[in-house]
Amino acid sequence: MSVPEQAADETATMDAVVVTGSRIRRSVAETSAPVTSIGDEVFAERGLVSAADALNQITSLVPQYNQAAGDGSSSGDGQQYAELFGLGAGRTLTLVNGRRFVTTSSGLGDAQVDANIIPTGLIDRIEVVQAGGAAVYGSDAIAGVVNYILRDDFEGVELDFQYGDTELNNYEQTSWRVTAGQNFDNDRGNVAINIEGSSTPLVRFSDFPTSNRSRITQGNPDDTGPNDGIPSLREVIPAYFWNFNGNGVVYSVPAPLEMFQTTLDGTPIQFAPDGSIISYDPGDVLGIPFAEGGQGTRYSDLAGLRTGVDRLSGNLIGHYDLTPGIRLNTELLYSKTDAESVPQGYARTVLNQTDPALGAILFTRSNPFLTDDAIASLSAASPSFAAGAPLWLSRNFYNDTFPSNVQKNETEVWRGLVGLEGDFDAADRNFYWTVSGSYAEVSGSQSVWDADIAKFNNAVRAVDDGAGNIVCAINADSDTTNDDPNCAPLNPFGAGNISEAASRYVSVMSGMDYKNKQFDFLATIGTEVYQLPAGAIDMVLAYEHRREEASFTPYEANQLGLLSGGTQEVPTSGDYNTNELSAEVLVPILGGDVTLPFAQALELNGTYRFVDNSIAGEESVWSVGTRWEVTDGVTIRATKSRNFRAPTLEQLFAPANTTISNAGNDPCDADRIDAGPNPSIRRANCEAEWAANPQYGDLASFQDPAENFSITSVAVGGNPELRNEVSDTVTYGIVFDHFLVPGLTLSADRIEIDLTDGLSAFTTEDFMAACYDSASPSDEVCSAFTRLQAADGTNPAGTVVTGRTTTFNAGQIIFKGEVYYANYDFDLDAVWNGAPGQMSFGLEATHVSELSTSVTGTTFNRSDNTVDDPDWTGRFNARYATGPLIVSYQLNYLDNVSAEQGATIENNPNPFIDSNITHDISAIYDFDNGLAIRAGITNFTDEQPSYPTLSYGDILGRRYFAGVNYKF
């Protein structure tokens, strides 16, 4: 259970340490900012296998599960980042032992550190500063700081193994670690080595009943108006794309209309796996492209549910006291993470007919892969086909075209640090100092098999060479300049008929490599500069120099534009360096022998930081704070700070190019026209545009296919004129520490963050939202996208066909909320005479009263009290320990919320989402010989995510774990 730093058992005896959020040595009870901590014991007690799992135990951090949203998007690259208060992972700074760590994601993007690389076997505790920290640590500490503090005094050998699985036996997790440490040279030095690994599996939507619903919402024909109490949308379960499947649906005209499907005896037809023609059930067609039921492509099969992650790390950490006043420190880290996910696969369908080279496959009766029976059936269905006219095949190639349909993300991290620290006396003062230098390098890649479009089109145009051999048409025509001796003809008719040779010919590896490098030098020196009656004024000066380099290299296929859309991706690299100076001071006003009524202690602290970034320029940030001890056990604290985040290399210098992708959510789509921050304004703006463009058709039934399919030409690129984004942060709270009730600690802190000049990634979706949700839309914003002026046979008029993605200093975020902690420890004997053991109760809660985000700085979207950012998140823990036995219980709580901002029964069939409560229980038994066994049940009531969500709760359901730990 996360508890306030004031009550953390493992730090209660420390006299003078450096606490996260400050570089001044102080007691952990003397922080003016809210700092929470989670200790190493939670890994065993809760069956956690990675530091990412531990972060998910802290309510102020957004849970990270590598889980797809269920809208066709991917489940991610397997990296899990700390994100405080829903402000974005790039606004939470990650440290290891108080020092910056290299970015593990593509370094042209946000500065993010994958929690999976942190060695669990060496974690002493994880400290989280909730709000701010840039004055002490520099860029990115806007929402706060996560600091992994590793043990530097490990002795002995520890072996650990854990196995877990779900009740359905479909989520097998394993973890193991070996940790060994030894003091040496009469305890002047210590060295510890840790090697560990864990594995979690790739999961598909079909693996769990809840995720396999294949649910969408569609326009409701029963809706009579905006005030009738009838939702404008209705649920569709199970939803399918009726226009294509994995066998191949036959069309007479390559357009996504029912009337253009080829029929035999009045029934649509498809190919069977054996190449024959069979009937096709499109289901209950609801429009383009969805149907309820049928034999099309199931909506939930578009992508995988969760990314599988295999992690391996090796770490060495040590220190040696060169003299009584100088210590040498070193940290060496190696980590390798392999992740597998299922992205949206390759398809050739009538929905992509804007470019025939990417759309449905044209074929005639001369195609030699057609069986005689198939030709006869197709001829009976289409007399023109019998005479030589073409038909079209609309199908997906998810499972039988490429060597694998799994995307792989691989990351290797190397980091070495050498440092000195110590103290010395001079000028009647004691000075404490640190000097450290670190170098880190990250090599990452993302790869997935895709189709070489030109080769694929060559391969599907098969002919008979006159000698009974099936060959590619380009090798049988009279034009020798287009010959390709490697071309292997591809049989697209029915699933499972593509030869290995054809697969090899059309398959090409797509993706990219990236590399990040970081050099960091940090020096600090602190001392007591002046003695006041209440105590000494402490000051710490710090200098930091950091150099960051990043490169992004698309694979050859991406650079040559061989894939869908033909975009030629450009290798990109960038670097910057920063020189930063900071000064931190702590001034005791009252304390010790100098007290007043209701003022046992009063202190002020302040920090100033000057930053000179070689790209973003100069920035000055600061923080001030106070801590007022009203009486023994009651403390009031407050801080005010200015924090910043520098633009990333990608935001600044991403090369300009055009890509084909989906447009994102269209505010004028019938599913969304009555939603958003200003539903009435959105509807009025859409109605005005439709009135000016009557060719767009009926707004009430408009469905934009660009929401789901890659048909929008999007211009992307960086913006070298970007500035730092800045935030003003205020926190204030109260702490009751053993006040009146021994063993009881309570704290409550208010946090308010106002971010301006936000680095906003304006996507086409953002431009559309800013255009239609504004009472006075900007021409510049509204001209960033265009709509199809006339139906093209595939897409209806009004479809978004061009868009833009770039970054501006225009965003604004307002966060207001509170964090609450309670911890109560007591001996049972104090309650029941003679009862053995100790009890501990813990409660942690985060309340979000406002989270408003504006891409443009004018129109705000509030996500508080929604599934994305619930207003209340809580955890309760109970722990009983007696002798060798520890029994733990945990309750996890998510409050009832709205499905999305502005959700009502008029615009959403499920406008309100029920609260979600799960329960966990575990036990550890420690034998006298160093052996400990543990077991637990997570979500033992098998509570599923609150309907109809997939992430508001625990999609994995009831699961079990068991582990063994041996120390000697």
Side-chain angles (χ1 to χ4, degrees):
M1 180 68 212
S2 293
V3 296
E5 281 290 346
Q6 289 83 345
D9 292 340
E10 66 270 28
T11 59
T13 60
M14 292 183 181
D15 182 33
V17 296
V18 175
V19 182
T20 305
S22 171
R23 298 199 188 277
I24 292 178
R25 290 182 177 178
R26 63 178 73 187
S27 162
V28 296
E30 296 178 351
T31 60
S32 55
V35 179
T36 188
S37 168
I38 188 167
D40 64 333
E41 72 281 351
V42 302
F43 288 91
E45 293 183 10
R46 303 180 198 174
L48 311 180
V49 301
S50 68
D53 289 345
L55 295 182
N56 288 339
Q57 305 294 304
I58 300 174
T59 60
S60 56
L61 287 161
V62 176
Q64 303 287 322
Y65 296 122
N66 284 321
Q67 181 170 310
D71 57 3
S73 58
S74 170
S75 55
D77 61 6
Q79 298 200 29
Q80 295 170 269
Y81 314 112
E83 180 185 351
L84 280 161
F85 305 122
L87 270 64
R91 296 185 177 101
T92 297
L93 177 64
T94 294
L95 307 173
V96 175
N97 288 334
R99 300 178 179 92
R100 280 185 171 266
F101 203 90
V102 64
T103 298
T104 57
S105 59
S106 177
L108 295 172
D110 284 340
Q112 303 170 132
V113 178
D114 181 14
N116 287 306
I117 72 171
I118 304 300
T120 62
L122 290 175
I123 289 178
D124 180 59
R125 64 191 184 278
I126 304 172
E127 293 182 343
V128 181
V129 178
Q130 295 166 121
V136 176
Y137 299 113
S139 176
D140 308 324
I142 285 180
V145 179
V146 172
N147 187 14
Y148 299 100
I149 299 175
L150 306 183
R151 295 182 61 177
D152 64 356
D153 58 354
F154 188 91
E155 286 194 271
V157 178
E158 181 178 358
L159 309 176
D160 192 274
F161 176 79
Q162 181 173 297
Y163 174 84
D165 204 351
T166 64
E167 192 171 60
L168 300 175
N169 298 317
N170 59 1
Y171 197 75
E172 191 176 69
Q173 286 185 296
T174 58
S175 67
W176 59 270
R177 69 174 185 267
V178 178
T179 309
Q182 179 68 52
N183 285 346
F184 61 92
D185 195 11
N186 296 318
D187 295 337
R188 289 177 64 183
N190 177 275
V191 62
I193 297 175
N194 176 78
I195 302 174
E196 65 179 60
S198 67
S199 178
T200 55
L202 181 155
V203 177
R204 299 175 187 269
F205 277 82
S206 57
D207 289 335
F208 294 94
T210 297
S211 57
N212 199 38
R213 293 191 198 108
S214 193
R215 174 190 179 272
I216 66 166
T217 56
Q218 191 85 354
N220 186 0
D222 296 332
D223 181 34
T224 62
N227 299 303
D228 60 357
I230 300 173
S232 59
L233 304 175
R234 71 179 184 92
E235 294 182 289
V236 178
I237 303 175
Y240 284 78
F241 294 98
W242 60 266
N243 321 88
F244 64 97
N245 65 10
N247 279 320
V249 181
V250 182
Y251 280 78
S252 299
V253 176
L257 299 175
E258 285 183 275
M259 69 178 69
F260 296 141
Q261 285 187 326
T262 304
T263 60
L264 183 62
D265 298 327
T267 302
I269 56 177
Q270 63 175 325
F271 281 89
D274 63 3
S276 63
I277 297 297
I278 59 175
S279 63
Y280 171 66
D281 176 14
D284 180 12
V285 175
L286 306 172
I288 302 173
F290 293 114
E292 187 169 2
Q295 297 175 324
T297 297
R298 193 178 178 93
Y299 180 68
S300 57
D301 289 342
L302 282 179
L305 175 62
R306 278 198 174 185
T307 301
V309 178
D310 292 333
R311 50 182 291 270
L312 173 68
S313 69
N315 294 266
L316 182 148
I317 186 168
H319 68 263
Y320 184 75
D321 293 336
L322 301 174
T323 71
I326 301 177
R327 170 172 287 188
L328 172 68
N329 297 301
T330 187
E331 299 172 16
L332 300 175
L333 175 144
Y334 170 77
S335 175
K336 188 175 191 299
T337 304
D338 296 325
E340 293 188 340
S341 60
V342 180
Q344 207 172 128
Y346 183 66
R348 295 291 295 269
T349 79
V350 293
L351 296 170
N352 290 39
Q353 209 61 34
T354 303
D355 184 348
L358 305 175
I361 297 170
L362 178 150
F363 67 96
T364 66
R365 63 174 295 143
S366 63
N367 191 302
F369 284 120
L370 292 172
T371 66
D372 292 340
D373 288 343
I375 293 174
S377 297
L378 292 169
S379 297
S382 173
S384 61
F385 178 79
L391 293 174
W392 282 265
L393 185 75
S394 183
R395 66 160 289 191
N396 70 58
F397 293 87
Y398 296 166
N399 300 314
D400 63 350
T401 305
F402 308 124
S404 170
N405 66 349
V406 171
Q407 175 176 296
K408 295 185 177 182
N409 289 83
E410 299 179 355
T411 309
E412 278 192 302
V413 182
W414 296 86
R415 179 178 184 259
L417 177 143
V418 176
L420 293 170
E421 64 180 54
D423 65 336
F424 63 89
D425 295 323
D428 298 325
R429 292 179 175 83
N430 179 261
F431 292 83
Y432 54 94
W433 57 273
T434 68
V435 176
S436 66
S438 66
Y439 176 79
E441 191 168 302
V442 175
S443 297
S445 67
Q446 176 177 298
S447 59
V448 64
W449 289 103
D450 206 339
D452 182 318
I453 299 303
K455 288 184 177 181
F456 189 93
N457 287 330
N458 289 340
V460 295
R461 300 185 185 115
V463 298
D464 189 314
D465 67 354
N469 301 312
I470 302 177
V471 298
C472 298
I474 59 171
N475 292 332
D477 60 18
S478 58
D479 183 2
T480 59
T481 62
N482 64 2
D483 287 1
D484 183 352
N486 297 315
C487 186
L490 184 149
N491 180 0
F493 305 117
N497 295 317
I498 297 175
S499 68
E500 183 178 347
S503 174
R504 286 197 306 268
Y505 175 68
V506 303
S507 299
V508 63
M509 186 62 75
S510 66
M512 55 90 174
D513 292 321
Y514 67 87
K515 188 177 288 290
N516 305 328
K517 297 179 182 180
Q518 180 193 74
F519 170 74
D520 185 80
F521 173 82
L522 174 65
T524 69
I525 186 167
T527 190
E528 297 177 352
V529 296
Y530 189 77
Q531 191 70 34
L532 295 177
I537 298 175
D538 281 329
M539 175 177 283
V540 169
L541 303 177
Y543 167 74
E544 184 170 12
H545 171 81
R546 190 172 78 258
R547 180 176 177 82
E548 304 273 2
E549 300 178 15
S551 63
F552 164 84
T553 307
Y555 285 179
E556 183 181 24
N558 301 75
Q559 294 190 42
L560 296 176
L562 303 181
L563 311 175
S564 297
T567 301
Q568 294 183 327
E569 299 181 24
V570 179
T572 308
S573 63
D575 62 78
Y576 70 88
N577 63 77
T578 178
N579 291 285
E580 308 183 17
L581 295 168
S582 68
E584 182 178 0
V585 64
L586 177 66
V587 181
I589 307 300
L590 299 173
D593 296 331
V594 182
T595 64
L596 294 173
F598 304 109
Q600 297 299 303
L602 177 64
E603 67 180 31
L604 304 176
N605 61 79
T607 305
Y608 172 81
R609 190 179 193 90
F610 172 78
V611 178
D612 185 5
N613 186 296
S614 62
I615 294 177
E618 298 179 353
E619 190 70 58
S620 295
V621 292
W622 50 266
S623 69
V624 294
T626 185
R627 179 183 154 275
W628 169 25
E629 186 179 338
V630 181
T631 186
D632 289 341
V634 180
T635 301
I636 295 173
R637 59 191 181 186
T639 67
K640 182 175 178 60
S641 63
R642 168 153 286 204
N643 305 284
F644 81 104
R645 180 171 72 125
T648 69
L649 293 169
E650 181 177 38
Q651 291 168 337
L652 288 161
F653 301 122
N657 62 75
T658 301
T659 183
I660 304 297
S661 67
N662 63 40
N665 292 337
D666 186 341
C668 296
D669 188 284
D671 294 353
R672 312 183 197 288
I673 193 169
D674 292 317
N678 303 303
S680 60
I681 292 176
R682 173 180 289 192
R683 173 173 279 277
N685 285 332
C686 290
E687 287 176 345
E689 182 166 354
W690 254 247
N693 296 274
Q695 72 274 19
Y696 289 175
D698 182 10
L699 179 62
S701 59
F702 174 68
Q703 299 281 327
D704 191 342
E707 285 196 344
N708 301 104
F709 296 96
S710 298
I711 57 179
T712 305
S713 177
V714 180
V716 299
N719 180 357
E721 303 301 320
L722 293 175
R723 306 179 304 277
N724 295 329
E725 64 177 21
V726 295
S727 68
D728 292 317
T729 301
V730 174
T731 72
Y732 51 91
I734 188 168
V735 179
F736 298 93
D737 189 14
H738 300 269
F739 179 68
L740 300 180
V741 180
L744 175 65
T745 299
L746 304 171
S747 73
D749 288 275
R750 174 74 169 182
I751 298 168
E752 298 181 356
I753 301 171
D754 187 351
L755 182 145
T756 56
D757 275 347
L759 295 165
S760 297
F762 273 53
T763 65
T764 303
E765 178 176 324
D766 295 321
F767 279 113
M768 288 192 290
C771 177
Y772 294 108
D773 292 337
S774 174
S776 301
S778 160
D779 290 340
E780 181 182 4
V781 169
C782 294
S783 63
F785 61 94
T786 63
R787 296 184 180 274
L788 189 64
Q789 290 303 300
D792 60 7
T794 299
N795 303 303
T799 298
V800 176
V801 289
T802 70
R804 186 182 177 197
T805 293
T806 190
T807 305
F808 286 110
N809 284 106
Q812 188 170 350
I813 298 176
I814 298 173
F815 173 85
K816 297 178 182 179
E818 305 89 46
V819 289
Y820 301 91
Y821 300 95
N823 200 79
Y824 185 35
D825 301 314
F826 61 94
D827 292 331
L828 281 177
D829 181 67
V831 180
W832 295 286
N833 189 32
Q838 300 82 39
M839 285 296 302
S840 175
F841 296 105
L843 177 67
E844 174 185 353
T846 298
H847 176 233
V848 180
S849 58
E850 180 181 354
L851 180 52
S852 298
T853 304
S854 174
V855 174
T856 62
T858 55
T859 302
F860 283 84
N861 179 66
R862 289 192 61 165
S863 59
D864 53 276
N865 194 34
T866 68
V867 169
D868 291 334
D869 298 289
D871 51 351
W872 283 100
T873 305
R875 282 189 175 86
F876 169 77
N877 291 86
R879 185 176 187 267
Y880 171 68
T882 178
L885 177 66
I886 298 174
V887 179
S888 300
Y889 163 80
Q890 178 167 291
L891 179 150
N892 309 285
Y893 175 77
L894 296 170
D895 201 11
N896 54 300
V897 294
S898 296
E900 58 185 358
Q901 182 192 24
T904 69
I905 193 61
E906 292 294 339
N907 58 35
N908 194 313
N910 307 99
F912 306 111
I913 308 301
D914 290 338
S915 60
N916 192 277
I917 300 175
T918 60
H919 308 268
D920 311 327
I921 192 167
S922 64
I924 301 176
Y925 192 86
D926 196 345
F927 295 91
D928 292 335
N929 60 359
L931 178 68
I933 59 174
R934 63 184 182 271
I937 306 174
T938 303
N939 191 3
F940 64 76
T941 59
D942 198 28
E943 180 73 13
Q944 296 297 300
S946 300
Y947 186 85
T949 72
L950 301 180
S951 60
Y952 204 66
D954 179 15
I955 193 72
L956 301 179
R958 185 185 294 119
R959 55 197 182 278
Y960 310 90
F961 70 87
V964 59
N965 182 279
Y966 184 51
K967 300 176 183 177
F968 59 93

